[in-house]
Amino acid sequence: MCRVCGGPVRQFFDFGRQPLSDAFLDPDRVDDEYFYRLAVGSCESCGMTQLLDEVARDRMFHEAYPYHSSGSVHMRRHFERTASRLSREHLRGPDPFVVEIGCNDGVMLRALAKEGVRHLGVEPSGGVAELARQQGVRVLTEFFEEATAARIVTEKGPADLVYSANTICHIPYLDSVFRGLDTLLAPDGAFVFEDPYLGDILERTSFDQIYDEHFYFFTLRSVSAAAARFGFEVVDVERLPVHGGELRYTLKRAGRAVPSPAVAALIAEEDRKGIGTPESFAAFAAGVERVRTELTSLLRELRADGKRIVGYGATAKSATVTNFCGIGPESIDWVCDVTPAKHGKLMPGSHIPVRPTEALTHPYPDYAVLFAWNHAEEIMAKERLFRESGGRWIVYVPEVRVL
Ligand code: SAM
Ligand code: TMP
Ligand code: ZN
């Protein structure tokens, strides 16, 4: 049943039993792993694409949540630019107030905090919330929902802007989020959020965007329909090149602003491309099977040739790829990653060891599977010597290729 409208959800892919994508394991605790069924479908009534099973939120987001937003220089820049734009466009009054849902380590809010803007981050994962505090950011260590919004508005007054990046798609209970926004936002306040775009996922067969934390896969059409149910309206939309392709939506209460022409233009484009039709999902499913076959045969052949293969980026996304494709330490020796909290651990499900990125050079392997493909430019520039020493990158989005 659809989590937004209660309509029937038609499944279009089942990845089977999967571990939690960010549950990196201590090597001595491999028996203690939680699995759930990862299947995805689309609502036949409102068009919202969503997971069929929900993982309890505190299993995923807790004190030890290992994803640090500031791990990428490119993303740090993206959020600095975002902060100045939000400030220019939405924080104009004498003492504006901004709330961020899922502020993580403060990657965006710290820029506004530095400028003295009144702000509050809402971040349930205690470890990253603490990192944000160390950056001068005020944080409430809680899940955002209707009750949180009521408390914030009582204590701090209405918000001129609520912003959220890569978090709204993590929250199944959108009804409570929207009711919270209605409570928290000033009459003309804006809700700006950005999340991976289903249009890009279908076009690039980036099936690794599908994992426990990503509950929804938005399109402009499905977001507009959801917003309308709760008295809101999309008044602007913009494509973002980050994380493999995202949309940034600006919402206001219905009737408060004239939607920009970009909204109608993108709705028309989604219709023209058939994004979210049964045919688009069938083509995607065929693409996923093709990538699995090609990637596993490539790794098998290279291993048979005695090649050394590692992975780059112990991403949440890679949990879906390794577990769905059945890739383990027999094909990939280890995966390197900049995040200290992941070092010395094993990847969920596949149990491939995680090492610091410095491990790459001792000595360079023959191949590195780029699991953090959305950071390709940054990583390939940083690891130029790997390629120059004869190493080759293996990518699988939008198709399996050796670079
Ligand atoms: N905004 C950052 C970015 O774009 O890099 C962080 C994104 S991270 C993938 C998602 C964050 O949302 C996590 O830090 C998680 O703890 C937080 N989160 C999950 N559910 C939430 C909720 N209901 N309310 C607020 N934050 C939530
Ligand atoms: P993400 O794709 O969800 O942003 O995760 C990226 C992962 O890749 C994260 O664990 C950090 C890691 N990473 C590196 O190891 N090196 C890098 O240069 C970048 C940008 C990310
Ligand atoms: Zn629905």
Side-chain angles (χ1 to χ4, degrees):
M1 206 166 73
C2 175
R3 279 298 252 123
V4 178
C5 79
V9 177
R10 185 210 286 236
Q11 178 181 309
F12 63 84
F13 208 88
D14 187 348
F15 292 92
R17 209 166 92 77
Q18 293 281 331
L20 303 182
S21 61
D22 268 318
F24 292 84
L25 300 168
D26 285 325
D28 57 355
R29 297 206 47 198
V30 287
D31 301 332
D32 186 18
E33 212 168 3
Y34 177 85
F35 289 88
Y36 70 102
R37 184 182 73 117
L38 179 63
V40 62
S42 196
C43 174
E44 291 181 333
S45 302
C46 75
M48 184 63 84
T49 299
Q50 56 200 279
L51 297 190
L52 276 82
D53 293 87
E54 189 176 325
V55 173
R57 63 188 189 179
D58 41 10
R59 273 194 185 275
M60 300 183 283
F61 310 114
H62 44 67
E63 190 60 34
Y65 181 64
Y67 183 72
H68 295 185
S69 301
S70 297
S72 153
V73 179
H74 184 72
M75 291 311 296
R76 288 208 294 271
R77 264 193 236 122
H78 167 77
F79 287 118
E80 275 158 24
R81 278 196 295 265
T82 300
S84 50
R85 241 190 84 187
L86 292 174
S87 180
R88 221 170 33 242
E89 293 176 8
H90 300 285
L91 301 174
R92 273 177 254 153
D95 180 27
F97 177 44
V98 53
V99 172
E100 182 177 0
I101 303 176
C103 68
N104 198 271
D105 59 9
V107 68
M108 194 290 286
L109 273 184
R110 67 181 172 185
L112 296 179
K114 238 182 253 152
E115 284 176 25
V117 175
R118 209 151 60 82
H119 67 275
L120 184 66
V122 184
E123 174 50 69
S125 299
V128 291
E130 190 48 39
L131 293 175
R133 282 189 199 100
Q134 288 167 14
Q135 299 283 327
V137 174
R138 301 179 65 124
V139 191
L140 197 60
T141 310
E142 276 182 41
F143 287 93
F144 184 86
E145 57 191 11
E146 200 178 356
T148 333
R151 211 141 31 77
I152 297 172
V153 85
T154 309
E155 288 169 19
K156 316 259 180 208
D160 301 277
L161 169 70
V162 176
Y163 171 74
S164 190
N166 305 300
T167 300
I168 298 304
C169 73
H170 294 50
I171 311 181
Y173 43 96
L174 275 190
D175 50 341
S176 175
V177 169
F178 271 107
R179 285 196 301 269
L181 289 167
D182 198 25
T183 306
L184 178 57
L185 279 173
D188 271 321
F191 173 42
V192 176
F193 73 99
E194 56 200 64
D195 276 302
Y197 181 37
L198 180 66
D200 287 311
I201 295 173
L202 296 181
E203 202 165 296
R204 300 176 187 192
T205 322
S206 44
F207 66 90
D208 56 350
Q209 293 278 15
I210 303 171
Y211 53 89
D212 54 348
E213 294 171 22
H214 285 178
F215 188 82
Y216 289 114
F217 304 90
F218 296 133
T219 59
L220 175 55
R221 210 174 239 305
S222 64
V223 167
S224 301
R229 292 183 74 80
F230 301 102
F232 283 83
E233 186 179 18
V234 180
V235 296
D236 201 9
V237 67
E238 180 188 351
R239 293 189 81 137
L240 301 175
V242 298
H243 287 313
E246 302 204 322
L247 288 187
R248 176 182 287 164
Y249 312 85
T250 302
L251 276 65
K252 292 205 165 182
R253 288 194 179 79
R256 286 282 174 170
V258 180
S260 86
V263 177
L266 188 57
I267 291 264
E269 183 181 324
E270 288 183 348
D271 289 350
R272 198 173 61 246
K273 290 184 171 169
I275 294 167
T277 57
E279 295 72 32
S280 71
F281 293 131
F284 171 79
V288 177
E289 296 294 359
R290 191 168 55 242
V291 170
R292 168 159 67 169
T293 307
E294 291 180 7
L295 183 60
T296 49
S297 359
L298 175 65
L299 295 179
R300 214 175 15 251
E301 283 162 25
L302 294 175
R303 277 306 234 212
D305 266 359
K307 302 296 186 199
R308 265 188 72 220
I309 310 172
V310 305
Y312 203 109
T315 57
K317 293 187 282 295
S318 65
T320 301
V321 180
T322 52
N323 290 288
F324 172 66
C325 298
I327 297 169
E330 73 297 333
S331 15
I332 294 186
D333 294 331
W334 39 263
V335 177
C336 65
D337 194 286
V338 283
T339 316
K342 298 181 182 177
H343 299 158
K345 306 263 178 147
L346 302 178
M347 306 258 291
S350 67
H351 300 175
I352 303 171
V354 185
R355 300 199 174 159
T357 47
E358 289 72 32
L360 193 71
T361 55
H362 305 305
Y364 280 125
D366 299 306
Y367 292 88
V369 180
L370 187 57
F371 288 123
W373 55 267
N374 46 315
H375 303 288
E377 212 178 303
E378 178 173 347
I379 291 172
M380 286 183 182
K382 191 165 22 182
E383 305 294 358
R384 202 170 35 85
L385 277 178
F386 163 62
R387 185 72 181 61
E388 285 175 3
S389 315
R392 291 287 176 270
W393 293 103
I394 296 174
V395 296
Y396 50 84
V397 175
E399 56 193 0
V400 177
R401 272 178 311 158
V402 177
L403 304 174

